[in-house]
Amino acid sequence: MSNDILIFGEVRGGALKKVTRELIEAARRVSKDTGGAVDAALVGAGAEAAAKGIADYGLRKITVFEGDALASYSTEGYAAALAGLVKESSPSYVLLGATAMGRDLAPRVAARVDGVMFSDCVDIRMEGAACVVRRPVYSGKVYVELARRGERTAFVTIRPNNVPPAAPTGGSTPIEKRGPAAAREAIRALVREIIPLEGGRPDITEADVIVSGGRAMKEKANFKILEDLADALGAAVGASRAAVDAGFAPAAVQVGQTGKIVNPKLYIACGISGAIQHLAGMRTSKVIVAINKDPNAPIFERATYGVVGDLFEIVPMLTEEIKKALA
Amino acid sequence: MKIIALMKRVPDTEARILVNQEGTGIKDDGIKYVISTYDEYGIEQALRVKEKAGGPSTVTAVCAGPEEATELIRTALAMGADDAVHVCDPALASGDPFLAAAALAAAVKESGFDIIFCGKQAIDDDMGQVQTILAEMLDVPQVNVVTGFELSGDGSRATLRRRIEGGDEMIETALPAIVSCEKGLNEPRYASLPGIMKAKKKEIRTKTLADLGVAVPGEARSAIVRWVPLPKSSGCRMVQAEEARDAVRELVKLLRDESKVI
Ligand SMILES: Cc1cc2nc3c(=O)[nH]c(=O)nc-3n(C[C@H](O)[C@H](O)[C@H](O)COP(=O)(O)OP(=O)(O)OC[C@H]3O[C@@H](n4cnc5c(N)ncnc54)[C@H](O)[C@@H]3O)c2cc1C
Ligand SMILES: Nc1ncnc2c1ncn2[C@@H]1O[C@H](COP(=O)(O)O)[C@@H](O)[C@H]1O
């Protein structure tokens, strides 16, 4: 096994996902101590063009896989490409984003190359000679830190928004272009269509800022005041399970244990009590603002800033003041 | 059709999870255990597929876990599963996902399968990887985080809806396959009283890893270096003022100047 690190650069709709630059930064931190090189692999339509966007990040080599059989994501098509590359270069670590794609792909490839798998990590660092990853368990009620045993390539999916994105360092990384490693006919599960989320707002798992509403919103129409605040901040709109179950917001934006795990810079919880299952989805947010009329609401135990008051008064005011401040 | 529903025994979501005194695990006194939330969607979907497929279809619940899991396996049988396999072996306590997958692979190969339902992740280790490692071991496709499922008329294929960032993928897969379930797929049923009565007579086949021919590796592929308690919240700063407007202005100032997030 080499000392090298391979990054899986995720391409969706022809664009490189933001998390890729975070993976580069994570890899730099580790390779600084191990002296290994950092390579990248990009797969799918638009991979070559996307690779040019990270050609000045000090990587040793970027391998891109494009072709008919890779036109849309499939576990099998992508796994064949990545597993082939890993077998060829036997990197020490393979880093992927803990995204829908990364979480689906990484364990498949890890099993295929007889590697090690660490899912959904929030940190990776060297501790002496050992590389240690940190990941939340029990829906974030505690963390564990793990290390590999023995000589196997370790696959690590890293949650978006945990590591700052790398900055370019200049230079020009060579890009090698390859075709698919598996024929389309050999792929048993295929994506036929992608149905976009309505609304056109950023997805809550990728957003830097989230404005979330709970049961206290009372009805669907009232989410308008949260949308106005979100518009002022370029934010996504989230919801508690109580709000989703009551039909105020779609299931796709539910935050929490049975919803999505989010990790924005700023999370604004409006009329959300802060049940443990809700906290499970957002407690790692950098800054949490809670607006609640009950000064004893448990959300205040996790919040950074709290405002006690009626959200129907506070939220529109906050929208106005933020517009003024950002004008 | 031979339908499998995987189920894991995990602490209830309400359980208080704290690192034990020695820092080697969690305090497990007083914890109530349940079937992992997402596995319940899998069991429900398995039962629905059986009802739809008709004919001589069966649902087999498969659980790798300690002896105490029997009680929860009975719950799955009471919901309507026909029989169950319980892989019970002290070596599974290591939590090694590759060993769990190998155990499940051997168990489902023995009973046979056309489709396997499971949860998108177990709510204790939150890994979301055992099912995918299992799919690779069985050489079948997997579709993860599924919120919609439709079996084709002849039962040879399925169309699924899978949640991704910013939308849903519509996927068509050949069977056999593994389907990991997400909230929204269905509403799991409760065990009925007649169901509970019937469950008592249903068969649970208990197997050790040796029974299944699964070798326990001398050393797991990874090890927990330490358990880390959640950092204490640094305390909430309450933003107060006589007038709500002034409190809001103060908040905006804090967000901009102190924490620099806007
Ligand atoms: C297995 C399981 C999984 C779960 N998964 C999730 C999950 O993924 N996500 C999730 O969110 N929940 C989840 N829950 C549910 C969770 O336990 C709570 O019931 C839910 O989070 C409560 O939502 P809420 O905070 O919106 O509502 P409530 O708890 O009813 O809180 C409403 C809050 O609004 C405040 N309020 C009322 N009016 C106003 C006003 N005018 N202005 C300001 N504040 C006001 C109240 O003081 C209160 O604090 C799960 C539960 C279980 C059992
Ligand atoms: N010990 C087990 N017994 C039965 N099913 C399991 C077991 N471990 C994992 N699974 C299944 O695999 C899914 C993913 O588990 P995990 O990778 O641990 O998050 C779970 O939701 C279960 O459906």
Side-chain angles (χ1 to χ4, degrees):
Chain A
M1 196 171 61
S2 70
N3 252 339
D4 304 335
I5 300 177
L6 176 66
I7 282 164
F8 174 77
E10 182 171 333
V11 184
R12 276 272 187 200
L16 192 66
K17 284 261 183 182
K18 187 180 92 179
V19 71
T20 306
R21 291 182 173 82
E22 300 170 10
L23 299 177
I24 295 177
E25 179 65 22
R28 280 183 189 167
R29 290 180 182 181
V30 173
S31 64
K32 179 168 65 64
D33 288 348
T34 63
V38 183
D39 296 326
L42 274 61
V43 186
E48 188 178 13
K52 295 197 176 111
I54 48 166
D56 56 349
Y57 278 70
L59 304 175
R60 179 176 61 183
K61 182 179 167 187
I62 306 174
T63 310
V64 300
F65 296 86
E66 279 190 46
D68 249 7
L70 299 170
S72 65
Y73 174 70
S74 72
T75 319
E76 293 166 282
Y78 278 46
L82 193 57
L85 191 62
V86 169
K87 280 182 187 156
E88 241 173 73
S89 54
S90 73
S92 174
Y93 283 87
V94 181
L95 309 186
L96 305 90
T99 58
M101 191 189 284
R103 292 170 129 250
D104 184 69
L105 181 62
R108 188 88 195 189
V109 183
R112 188 163 300 176
V113 305
D114 199 25
V116 185
M117 181 70 230
F118 299 115
S119 326
D120 213 18
C121 298
V122 294
D123 190 27
I124 176 167
R125 62 171 199 281
M126 294 305 293
E127 205 176 279
C131 182
V132 172
V133 298
R134 173 185 283 220
R135 57 185 307 275
V137 289
Y138 297 100
S139 50
K141 292 177 194 168
V142 286
Y143 291 95
V144 285
E145 294 193 339
L146 301 110
R148 157 176 57 203
R149 292 278 175 269
E151 293 271 301
R152 282 191 171 92
T153 298
F155 291 73
V156 184
T157 56
I158 300 182
R159 278 194 192 173
N161 291 342
N162 265 289
V163 182
T169 52
S172 178
T173 305
I175 299 173
E176 187 199 333
K177 197 170 172 192
R178 300 193 189 181
R184 196 168 195 277
E185 301 72 50
I187 298 171
R188 294 164 290 186
L190 268 177
V191 176
R192 295 290 179 203
E193 190 192 350
I194 294 181
I195 301 169
L197 201 71
E198 24 176 316
R201 278 175 200 287
D203 189 81
I204 54 170
T205 57
E206 300 184 307
D208 275 340
V209 181
I210 298 173
V211 178
S212 243
R215 196 195 310 271
M217 297 309 296
K218 286 209 193 84
E219 53 184 297
K220 190 172 176 177
N222 291 337
F223 260 70
K224 176 78 171 59
I225 62 168
L226 302 187
E227 283 161 15
D228 290 343
L229 176 56
D231 286 340
L233 289 162
V237 175
S240 73
R241 171 157 158 186
V244 169
D245 286 352
F248 306 164
V253 306
Q254 182 183 317
V255 173
Q257 171 148 13
T258 42
K260 289 194 173 139
I261 311 271
V262 299
N263 189 32
K265 280 194 305 201
L266 173 60
Y267 187 88
I268 306 180
C270 309
I272 294 178
S273 60
I276 192 149
Q277 296 93 350
H278 189 78
L279 296 178
M282 43 62 80
R283 78 172 108 221
T284 56
S285 307
K286 307 256 150 24
V287 172
I288 297 169
V289 172
I291 301 169
N292 198 303
K293 67 177 184 192
D294 173 7
N296 296 315
I299 187 83
F300 288 125
E301 285 160 34
R302 273 287 145 194
T304 323
Y305 304 119
V307 181
V308 176
D310 182 349
L311 74 91
F312 294 103
E313 181 191 9
I314 304 290
V315 171
M317 245 179 221
L318 184 57
T319 308
E320 278 172 36
E321 292 301 325
I322 281 179
K323 277 190 186 155
K324 271 192 233 160
L326 298 182
Chain B
M1 273 187 104
K2 277 190 175 288
I3 306 156
I4 304 273
L6 301 182
M7 51 170 286
K8 188 178 184 192
R9 174 183 181 265
V10 299
D12 183 25
T13 56
E14 302 277 351
R16 249 170 81 92
I17 303 287
L18 297 169
V19 177
N20 65 20
Q21 205 92 60
E22 304 77 40
T24 53
I26 60 161
K27 287 187 192 155
D28 66 355
D29 43 311
I31 291 181
K32 184 180 153 227
Y33 286 84
V34 296
I35 299 173
S36 185
T37 314
Y38 300 104
D39 291 351
E40 290 188 348
Y41 302 117
I43 296 169
E44 175 63 34
Q45 200 61 35
L47 297 172
R48 290 188 186 187
V49 168
K50 175 185 161 169
E51 284 153 13
K52 183 160 179 224
S57 296
T58 53
V59 173
T60 302
V62 178
C63 175
E67 230 172 283
E68 294 86 340
T70 311
E71 190 192 326
L72 298 173
I73 296 172
R74 290 272 171 226
T75 305
L77 295 173
M79 284 170 75
D82 297 284
D83 57 2
V85 181
H86 183 184
V87 188
C88 190
D89 197 299
L92 289 166
S94 71
D96 176 1
F98 284 85
L99 186 60
L104 297 170
V108 301
K109 270 188 196 158
E110 204 173 84
S111 57
F113 62 93
D114 295 303
I115 187 157
I116 299 175
F117 290 101
C118 64
K120 70 163 182 178
Q121 70 194 59
I123 63 162
D124 53 355
D125 58 41
D126 285 327
M127 290 191 291
Q129 66 185 41
V130 166
Q131 74 276 29
T132 301
I133 296 171
L134 173 62
E136 177 67 15
M137 287 177 175
L138 296 171
D139 189 21
V140 298
Q142 94 258 354
V143 186
N144 279 319
V145 200
V146 165
T147 57
F149 179 91
E150 195 66 53
L151 190 68
S152 70
D154 65 353
S156 72
R157 309 186 65 74
T159 307
L160 306 98
R161 198 176 178 115
R162 153 178 153 82
R163 192 155 289 158
I164 63 167
E165 296 84 9
D168 284 337
E169 284 176 343
M170 299 304 294
I171 295 180
E172 202 184 314
T173 187
L175 299 183
I178 296 186
V179 176
S180 81
C181 305
E182 162 73 311
K183 179 186 186 239
L185 177 61
N186 56 41
E187 271 311 317
R189 68 194 67 186
Y190 291 100
S192 65
L193 202 55
I196 293 168
M197 298 313 288
K198 273 194 221 154
K200 293 185 176 148
K201 296 197 199 78
K202 290 179 179 171
E203 184 196 13
I204 301 177
R205 297 185 293 280
T206 304
K207 310 262 181 189
T208 63
L209 291 175
D211 292 341
L212 292 166
V214 176
V216 179
E219 187 181 54
R221 294 167 192 227
S222 62
I224 293 176
V225 182
R226 65 182 71 86
W227 289 77
V228 186
L230 212 61
K232 283 257 177 306
S233 163
S234 48
C236 180
R237 173 139 166 204
M238 296 310 255
V239 186
Q240 287 161 320
E242 199 82 18
E243 293 287 327
R245 174 74 62 179
D246 294 326
V248 169
R249 282 199 182 120
E250 173 69 10
L251 174 64
V252 172
K253 202 160 153 267
L254 289 168
L255 292 175
R256 203 175 46 174
D257 302 336
E258 188 180 76
S259 49
K260 302 191 170 58
V261 287
I262 61 172

